[in-house]
Amino acid sequence: MARPTIADIAERAGVSKGAVSFALNGRPGVSEETRRRILAVADEMNWRPHRAARSLGNSRAGAVGLILSRPARTLGLEPFFGQVVSGLQAGLAEDGTALQLLVVEDPEAEMAAYRNWTAEKRVDGFVLLDPLIDDPRFPALEALDVPVMVLGGPLPDTSLSYSWADDSEAMHEAVDYLAALGHRHVVHVAGMPQFLHTKRRMDVLTEAKARHELAEVVSIPTDYSDSEGAVITRRVLSRRERPTAIVYDSDVMAVAGLGVALEMGVRVPQDLSILSFDDSLLARLTHPALTALTRDTQGWATEAARELLRLIADPSLTVRHPSSTPVLVPRESTAPPAGH
Amino acid sequence: MARPTIADIAERAGVSKGAVSFALNGRPGVSEETRRRILAVADEMNWRPHRAARSLGNSRAGAVGLILSRPARTLGLEPFFGQVVSGLQAGLAEDGTALQLLVVEDPEAEMAAYRNWTAEKRVDGFVLLDPLIDDPRFPALEALDVPVMVLGGPLPDTSLSYSWADDSEAMHEAVDYLAALGHRHVVHVAGMPQFLHTKRRMDVLTEAKARHELAEVVSIPTDYSDSEGAVITRRVLSRRERPTAIVYDSDVMAVAGLGVALEMGVRVPQDLSILSFDDSLLARLTHPALTALTRDTQGWATEAARELLRLIADPSLTVRHPSSTPVLVPRESTAPPAGH
DNA sequence: GGCCCGAACTTAACCGCTTTATCAATTCAA
DNA sequence: TTGAATTGATAAAGCGGTTAAGTTCGGGCC
């Protein structure tokens, strides 16, 4: 038989379409007995609501969008994205909401997608990744007046909701640890400087310099690529006065850096300590395994998804959701500097 | 102003809703001049079609589903998924079609999702990953009578469409290469034996044994995890008669295996050659970098997505799409065996 | 001039579900 | 006992498009 509709159910149960709709959505207007009967019929006929019809009726798309403007290949490279996607998806699935993914080449296309998807009522809200300093997406999305959950923060000067892990705190932990081991020359191979969390980490570092009386602390921005990670590492390890520890903003760069150290005959951790600000299988598979700041990215994304659903249900809300701070997991790549 | 509808455009342009619809969809029924006028008005009013309304009208969901039943964390670990997702997305985007992603815990949930999404007309078709031997999903999906594109194959006994890369050919290339280098004892750390491509690779290996007069060729199935990869490697390297080469079905296992070799003082490639059947950043970042069979997963997925769109447009089609065979990329992890 | 035809539009039904207005039958307060 | 409020249900109007079935009209043909 063709797909059954509520009209079929109504006929079979001997009631009106309206009654069926009320019954199926658990709202008042039908007696308990009728409701049960309708539900039974619907079940028997194997009925499922037609997505588009429902959306058209109640003006809910039943989907949220995630638009990424990194080059497409990054998706496969950085474990982070997979974690985020599956985490979001898990949170949304609890509600039957779908995740719509789009990978675009540049920020303009990203903005256009926000506008289009909103105008098309294709999604009920968006998840934003990698908040920037003075992020142009924020005012644009505020203007669109659509529920948005940013993964990252805290964000100054915006009415958008966000879910944030305390990167500063984590960076503090990392630097404190290295300082405690006795390191005085630390290089930070950072991510892209326009990212808010990059800036935050850099700030912590410069501040830590004074606090711990470190001799040298430099943050060097990169594009997160393994090649830049390698290049920078090669450069700093070629200097007369080498750092005794390097903190990498991503595990991909950390692994690339480790490779350079090996290639240059710099022993890890005896001559050089390596700490990755991002954990994943990658960091665990290397030899030595990398000390890293680890966090439950997937869980974070799941929580954020739930918050976004709340936001969609009640757009007057503004969510500032704190998620757990990354935790330092010491492995084999960190040790006191030589002669300490 | 509130979201404009075609009724608004119709009024403003002084025509009927129908004419507007014809004009916007580029179908006959309006003169070129009227069309231009309508388009201009639509553009001026910043009109975008309402997704749900359009779906309801033309009974196209405008989305395809990808349902994965691997544990959610795998998504972040295996670069493969990210590649596939972004590749599919790229192919679908050309058409404005969305990708709906679902990660479930078990095959039952996967099957249920196929049924539900089809019944809800939530998607117009599905992409299937990792075809199994006697895959129960195939008959179920055939019964649902919904367009499906399988990534993998060739598939015997099914009317479903598929896009396949010649794994056997690739495996041949790999074994021929190792044999040419002089290896006679080869171990294959395989993937899950129920996967069709695993079986295919294993078959090639046993066949190659005779052809190249190899002394030893074993395929050992695993669950693709780094830990199993490490365990198996440790086991075979602990034997009196060690293999001189190991072929891994995934880069994650290969890297784990490399770690074990280092840990046991087995030099790569002098004492042991390592070849990965999967390429990614991972394989390139290690030291030595891993010789691997590489392929354009993303491009493959993009092509598959296009084929699926064709299939949706014309469900009478059956697509058997050959994609490019993986190519061997020699790096530093393979060499002739000692004493050769 | 009458007839037929295709082009250019309009009308209105329809897709499947939600929701509002309406109504009949009860129940309840006075 | 009567009028008002409540309950359980119906009919019908959307939601924003698509599309089948008309309607007009100008022009070619005999």
Side-chain angles (χ1 to χ4, degrees), chain A residues 3 48-49 51 56 72 75-76 79 85-86 89 96 98-103 116 119-120 122 252 259 281-282 287 298, chain B residues 3 48-49 51 56 72 75-76 79 85-86 89 96 98 100-103 116 119-120 122 252 259 281-282 287 298:
Chain A
R3 189 178 173 289
R48 303 247 88 209
R51 274 256 138 183
L56 194 55
L75 251 198
V85 167
S86 73
Q89 196 275 302
L99 177 65
Q100 301 243 21
L101 193 66
L102 183 65
V103 186
N116 287 341
E120 293 172 5
R122 192 185 187 128
V252 168
L281 182 62
L282 208 55
H287 287 265
Q298 212 174 294
Chain B
R3 189 180 172 288
R48 304 249 86 209
R51 273 257 137 184
L56 194 56
L75 252 198
V85 167
S86 72
Q89 195 275 302
Q100 300 245 19
L101 192 66
L102 182 65
V103 186
N116 287 341
E120 293 172 5
R122 192 184 187 129
V252 168
L281 183 62
L282 207 55
H287 286 265
Q298 213 173 294

Side-chain angles (χ1 to χ4, degrees), chain A residues 126-168:
Chain A
F126 292 101
V127 174
L128 238 72
L129 250 45
D130 295 327
L132 308 178
I133 300 166
D134 292 326
D135 202 316
R137 298 174 297 176
F138 295 173
L141 282 162
E142 283 169 355
L144 284 176
D145 195 27
V146 61
V148 171
M149 191 79 203
V150 182
L151 240 53
L155 310 175
D157 314 321
T158 181
S159 64
L160 299 186
S161 294
Y162 52 78
S163 172
W164 60 294
D166 196 336
D167 260 31
S168 304

Side-chain angles (χ1 to χ4, degrees), chain B:
Chain B
M1 189 194 55
R3 189 180 172 288
T5 71
I6 55 166
D8 299 327
I9 300 178
E11 192 185 353
R12 184 106 143 232
V15 293
S16 70
K17 274 172 54 180
V20 174
S21 180
F22 291 146
L24 292 169
N25 291 299
R27 48 180 87 203
V30 284
S31 65
E32 258 320 302
E33 198 205 313
T34 320
R35 183 187 307 274
R36 257 197 301 277
R37 187 159 43 92
I38 293 176
L39 255 40
V41 173
D43 196 53
E44 181 194 343
M45 299 183 84
N46 220 323
W47 176 88
R48 304 249 86 209
H50 188 296
R51 273 257 137 184
R54 181 165 268 184
S55 298
L56 194 56
N58 68 5
S59 59
R60 279 276 172 77
V64 312
L66 173 65
I67 304 176
L68 304 172
S69 74
R70 296 218 185 171
R73 41 185 290 282
T74 324
L75 252 198
L77 302 187
E78 298 267 6
F80 179 74
F81 293 106
Q83 308 276 20
V84 167
V85 167
S86 72
L88 287 176
Q89 195 275 302
L92 296 173
E94 297 168 0
D95 186 47
T97 300
L99 177 64
Q100 300 245 19
L101 192 66
L102 182 65
V103 186
V104 295
E105 286 300 317
D106 52 81
E108 286 71 45
E110 185 182 350
M111 297 291 305
Y114 290 128
R115 278 194 299 273
N116 287 341
W117 285 17
T118 308
E120 293 172 5
K121 294 234 183 225
R122 192 184 187 129
V123 295
D124 298 318
F126 292 101
V127 175
L128 238 71
L129 250 44
D130 295 328
L132 308 179
I133 299 167
D134 292 326
D135 201 315
R137 297 173 297 177
F138 295 173
L141 282 162
E142 283 170 356
L144 284 177
D145 195 28
V146 61
V148 171
M149 191 77 202
V150 182
L151 241 56
L155 309 175
D157 313 321
T158 181
S159 63
L160 299 186
S161 293
Y162 52 78
S163 173
W164 60 294
D166 197 336
D167 260 30
S168 305
E169 180 61 32
M171 190 50 143
H172 265 126
E173 193 174 341
V175 180
D176 289 359
Y177 177 65
L178 290 175
L181 288 180
H183 292 277
R184 293 290 171 265
H185 294 253
V186 178
V187 166
H188 173 213
V189 179
M192 308 217 228
Q194 58 269 51
F195 285 167
L196 201 65
H197 59 260
T198 303
K199 175 168 167 29
R200 212 157 261 143
R201 294 177 195 176
M202 287 172 131
D203 288 351
V204 168
L205 217 71
T206 53
E207 186 232 322
K209 177 173 179 184
R211 194 154 49 92
H212 288 296
E213 296 175 357
L214 303 182
E216 185 207 7
V217 173
V218 216
S219 279
I220 305 171
T222 69
D223 63 357
Y224 278 113
S225 71
D226 59 302
S227 49
E228 279 211 15
V231 167
I232 303 286
T233 306
R234 208 168 279 120
R235 190 174 303 155
V236 299
L237 290 185
S238 303
R239 296 192 320 212
R240 173 103 37 89
E241 186 109 2
R242 278 182 185 162
T244 59
I246 306 185
V247 178
Y248 292 86
D249 260 11
S250 86
D251 50 356
V252 168
M253 291 198 295
V255 172
L258 174 63
V260 168
L262 294 180
E263 147 205 326
M264 293 177 70
V266 176
R267 294 167 307 162
V268 176
Q270 294 89 337
D271 306 331
L272 176 72
S273 282
I274 286 184
L275 195 153
S276 167
F277 209 107
D278 221 358
D279 196 17
S280 78
L281 183 62
L282 207 55
R284 268 169 288 144
L285 284 182
T286 56
H287 286 265
L290 301 181
T291 295
L293 283 160
T294 196
R295 70 165 136 203
D296 180 10
T297 305
Q298 213 173 294
W300 181 30
T302 302
E303 287 167 18
R306 289 201 194 105
E307 294 300 324
L308 179 54
L309 291 177
R310 280 184 52 210
L311 210 59
I312 290 169
D314 179 1
S316 69
L317 253 50
T318 304
V319 179
R320 265 83 225 257
H321 183 262
S323 110
S324 58
T325 302
V327 162
L328 185 72
V329 179
R331 297 208 183 90
E332 305 151 12
S333 68
T334 42
H340 192 80

Side-chain angles (χ1 to χ4, degrees), chain A residues 55-118:
Chain A
S55 298
L56 194 55
N58 69 6
S59 60
R60 279 276 171 76
V64 312
L66 173 64
I67 302 175
L68 303 172
S69 74
R70 296 220 186 169
R73 42 186 290 281
T74 325
L75 251 198
L77 303 187
E78 298 267 4
F80 178 74
F81 293 107
Q83 307 276 21
V84 167
V85 167
S86 73
L88 286 176
Q89 196 275 302
L92 297 173
E94 298 168 359
D95 188 45
T97 300
L99 177 65
Q100 301 243 21
L101 193 66
L102 183 65
V103 186
V104 296
E105 286 300 317
D106 52 81
E108 285 71 45
E110 184 182 350
M111 298 291 306
Y114 290 128
R115 277 193 300 272
N116 287 341
W117 286 18
T118 308

